[in-house]
Amino acid sequence: MTAPLLSLAQILNRLALTTRWILRDHQPTRDGVCPICRTPDCAVATAARHVLETIKLSRRSTGNP
């Protein structure tokens, strides 16, 4: 399906799923370094966390769990 045929809830669910995949891939190793970016403070993971927080806030404001 393409985006015009999806509801807002479906789009948010797909976005949340994608950000969780990103967070899984960019999870720091035991030494605290991102395995993909090779940095201690991964900007990609930080952005993904911000996106998830925004999705949670938008769901709270609309009354969805």
Side-chain angles (χ1 to χ4, degrees):
M1 290 182 124
T2 58
L5 301 175
L6 298 175
S7 69
L8 179 59
Q10 290 171 317
I11 293 170
L12 289 175
N13 286 339
R14 288 183 181 193
L15 185 59
L17 180 64
T18 303
T19 56
R20 287 186 188 115
W21 285 340
I22 290 169
L23 286 173
R24 185 191 65 216
D25 291 343
H26 288 262
Q27 185 165 356
T29 57
R30 289 183 181 168
D31 60 355
V33 176
C34 173
I36 296 174
C37 301
R38 306 273 192 241
T39 60
D41 187 26
C42 178
V44 175
T46 302
R49 279 188 220 94
H50 288 302
V51 169
L52 279 178
E53 186 61 33
T54 303
I55 291 171
K56 288 177 188 176
L57 289 174
S58 70
R59 287 181 176 164
R60 278 188 218 143
S61 67
T62 60
N64 293 335

